[in-house]
Amino acid sequence: MSDSRQKTLPKLLIVEDDLGLQRQLRWAYEDYEVLGAGSRAEAIDLLRAEEPDVVTLDLGLPPDPDGTSEGFATLGEILALKPDTKVIVATGHGARESALRAIAGGAYDFYQKPVDIDELGLIVSRAFHVHALEKENARLAETASDDNRVLGRMITGAPEMLKVARTIERVANADVSVMLLGASGTGKELLARGVHDSSSRRNGAFIAINCAAIPETLLESELFGHEKGAFTGAVKTTEGKIEQANGGTLFLDEVGDIPLPLQVKLLRFLQERVIERVGGRRPIPVDTRVVCATHQNLEAMIANGSFREDLYYRLAEIVIRIPALAERPGDAVLLARHFLTRFANDMNPQVKGLAPDALAAIDAWAWPGNVRELENRMKRAVIMSEGKLVTAGDLDLDGMGKDEPDVINLKTVREMADRKAIRRAIARTQGNISGAAKMLGISRPTLYDLLKQYEMQG
């Protein structure tokens, strides 16, 4: 067998202290690259170096060959280092308790000694097959997440957000001010970056400032900069955020929190495209595009005199309203899977997916904190999860659903229900039409007909 072919074979690690049996098993598996270890230390060294997909493990290892303590310790270490490994444990006749304990501890399967080579061969073959399927599913899930990205960053499959993305793409190259309106946690900064990245200014700086997070006394200096000696502590001349964004985009988050005196100075910049630093007298021309966002009702603020109407119209040349997460059926599941993958890689690699009750809870929850709440819940759930699947309990969700709109026209209600169910099924099955049809209890042609009828993308 050539070296090149040897390298392409799946790797099987046999952990067995009986060297005669170890050699027998090596000879039995010509379809795999077989590795052998006689102790926990050897097994772990080979696992780190070779990363086999499947391991057969004798629970009776030295220094406890007549017991199981060393075998279970080895099982635990293998799964801690490489949670996707399929471990098949060996038990003696009548050792049902050990087999059940091993399965509960994460082993894939078990076999009884004395070894039946053919029987064990079937178990090993099935383990490699299952591992390959899981690997492919993970790859498809990752691809599906990429397919659901818009503006390069935002993950969505909901028509409501796709419409927002199309609007941003259309206005990005028009050098106008854009106002993003939406509740906290809906992704306004992500969309502001989408405006910048889709525009001709993409090679310039994107500078963001949260106007609500900076004390009123410091906000003017943060925005416009200051000259040396302008106030106590101003030991050098400093550019403000507007100037730093010259040639690029300035994102003013929570623009409704800018105090009235500073609104006047911001209006002058928008009208004349020049600024003066605090303590300065020299007008400085600045070519900066402004994108702003707020969750406040600016029209009500204009009415009560806390926000200037002329400034509003300068900032709101294009207004884009961002739907809440509860108004984007299917997106919560897509985003939950994205956050799970991201957090599990760093914080809890044994977590591989969402349990059915978690999917149902994510669908039903109203998400008052929007995407930010979902991200926080998923991070906590991944950290706290003790199994391979995140559960509704890990998410701390009680399953309460959001109120449905008061619609009594039967045709409209039917279409709304169909659309919502289809989006959720497609999101849960990660774009698999056959799987979505099965979940919905209809045939695949029927689902294709509905997608066409409702002008939805599969």
Side-chain angles (χ1 to χ4, degrees), residues 58-278:
D58 182 5
L59 292 178
L61 294 175
D64 185 23
D66 297 323
T68 58
S69 61
E70 192 69 8
F72 278 114
T74 305
L75 173 65
E77 278 198 54
I78 289 172
L79 295 178
L81 288 170
K82 193 171 179 285
D84 62 335
T85 307
K86 301 302 174 196
V87 182
I88 306 163
V89 298
T91 64
H93 278 304
R96 176 178 172 80
E97 184 180 336
S98 292
L100 293 177
R101 181 183 165 193
I103 298 298
Y108 166 73
D109 208 338
F110 67 92
Y111 65 97
Q112 288 190 337
K113 284 189 169 183
V115 176
D116 181 319
I117 295 294
D118 293 334
E119 181 182 336
L120 181 55
L122 289 173
I123 297 173
V124 168
S125 175
R126 188 170 68 239
F128 274 111
H129 178 65
V130 171
H131 185 278
L133 286 176
E134 290 180 354
K135 190 173 182 180
E136 177 66 6
N137 284 339
R139 186 190 67 78
L140 290 173
E142 190 173 324
T143 303
S145 294
D146 290 341
D147 290 345
N148 284 291
R149 288 183 187 270
V150 296
L151 301 174
R153 298 172 183 268
M154 178 160 282
I155 295 172
T156 184
E160 297 83 357
M161 283 303 291
L162 294 175
K163 182 179 178 181
V164 168
R166 286 194 295 270
T167 301
I168 285 175
E169 287 169 347
R170 283 200 300 270
V171 306
N173 278 319
D175 210 10
V176 293
S177 298
V178 176
M179 179 176 287
L180 304 171
L181 300 179
S184 294
T186 49
K188 294 188 288 291
E189 182 167 349
L190 208 58
L191 290 171
R193 286 184 178 273
V195 174
H196 174 75
D197 292 343
S198 301
S199 74
S200 58
R201 295 175 176 266
R202 66 181 68 90
N203 293 324
F206 176 87
I207 304 295
I209 180 171
N210 187 325
C211 302
I214 298 172
E216 185 175 328
T217 53
L218 299 178
L219 187 56
E220 181 179 7
S221 175
E222 282 291 315
L223 284 171
F224 293 92
H226 59 261
E227 297 289 346
K228 180 179 179 180
F231 50 82
T232 302
V235 295
K236 64 177 182 178
T237 297
T238 302
E239 290 185 349
K241 301 296 186 185
I242 297 174
E243 211 172 336
Q244 290 172 22
N246 188 26
T249 304
L250 173 70
F251 174 51
L252 298 173
D253 198 7
E254 300 302 347
V255 71
D257 285 88
I258 295 180
L260 275 170
L262 194 52
Q263 289 179 28
V264 176
K265 193 166 182 178
L266 181 60
L267 176 64
R268 178 176 177 244
F269 155 64
L270 292 170
Q271 289 173 332
E272 301 176 15
R273 298 293 163 173
V274 296
I275 62 165
E276 287 182 8
R277 298 180 186 135
V278 176

Side-chain angles (χ1 to χ4, degrees), residues 325 335-336 339-340 343 347 354 361-362 365-385 390-400:
L325 184 56
L335 287 162
F339 291 136
L340 184 145
F343 296 138
M347 301 173 181
L354 295 161
I362 290 167
W365 190 247
W367 299 110
N370 292 290
V371 179
R372 188 174 294 121
E373 178 191 356
L374 174 59
E375 182 177 10
N376 290 341
R377 283 187 185 268
M378 285 304 305
K379 180 184 287 187
R380 177 187 180 279
V382 167
I383 294 171
M384 300 302 294
S385 178
V390 165
T391 66
D394 295 328
L395 288 164
D396 195 24
L397 291 177
D398 61 12
M400 290 178 59

Side-chain angles (χ1 to χ4, degrees), residues 6 9-14 22 25-36:
Q6 184 76 11
L9 294 177
K11 293 178 181 178
L12 169 65
L13 172 59
I14 296 172
Q22 191 183 117
L25 293 174
R26 280 176 177 271
W27 296 333
Y29 298 119
E30 295 182 351
D31 294 333
Y32 312 117
E33 180 182 346
V34 182
L35 312 164

